[in-house]
Amino acid sequence: MRKLLFMLMCMFLSIPTIANAHTELSSSNPKEGQMVTEELDEIVLDFAGAIEELSTMKLMKDGEEVSLSQVQVQDKKMVGTPSAPLENGSYIIEWTIAGEDGHPISGKVSFSVKVEHMHEEKEAAQPKAEENKQENKQQDKEAFKRKIKPHPIQ
């Protein structure tokens, strides 16, 4: 009976250790559900334990992968650098890691980007482009008039 009780005690004590062996995401930048309002230079995923070099992340927008110039693993962190400023919209970070115990773990972090100056620059550029078109048309008309001069009637 004592052996059985001893074995049960050992099992109960080892279960929390086994459950904690899996590395999990402890924080991220941007955070789950966050609305990013400034340009995002890097994506940082922090994990509870060390992760393997083979760990990866992908950035997705509307079902298509957005290019990251590099993804670096640094002990408990994975850092991804976007190759270009992110456009406004909804994004998902899909990550897959190999934790200290060797088990592959994956997850997702959703966030949105809404940077005001991007819209303002595009809107400001559109009227300027329209003005340039109008100016070019006017200059073309004037050049055409100069080339074709009416001949005086003799």
Side-chain angles (χ1 to χ4, degrees), residues 101-121:
D101 61 359
H103 287 93
I105 304 167
S106 60
K108 297 179 180 184
V109 176
S110 302
F111 68 98
S112 298
V113 173
K114 187 173 183 182
V115 179
E116 292 300 323
H117 71 84
M118 291 175 80
H119 281 307
E120 291 169 7
E121 287 175 7

Side-chain angles (χ1 to χ4, degrees), residues 10 23 32 47 56 59 93 95-96 111 113 115 121 137-138 144 146 148 154:
C10 288
T23 302
E32 174 67 37
F47 295 90
T56 63
L59 183 60
I93 305 163
W95 54 267
T96 302
F111 68 98
V113 173
V115 179
E121 287 175 7
K137 282 183 183 178
Q138 187 64 30
F144 184 74
R146 278 185 256 138
I148 303 177
Q154 294 179 359

Side-chain angles (χ1 to χ4, degrees), residues 29-30 39-44 57 59 66-71 79-87 91 93 111 113:
N29 182 32
E39 194 170 309
L40 188 62
D41 295 329
E42 62 183 17
I43 296 166
V44 181
M57 84 165 71
L59 183 60
V66 176
S67 176
L68 296 173
S69 62
Q70 68 178 359
V71 175
V79 180
T81 307
S83 8
L86 300 180
E87 296 177 1
Y91 291 85
I93 305 163
F111 68 98
V113 173

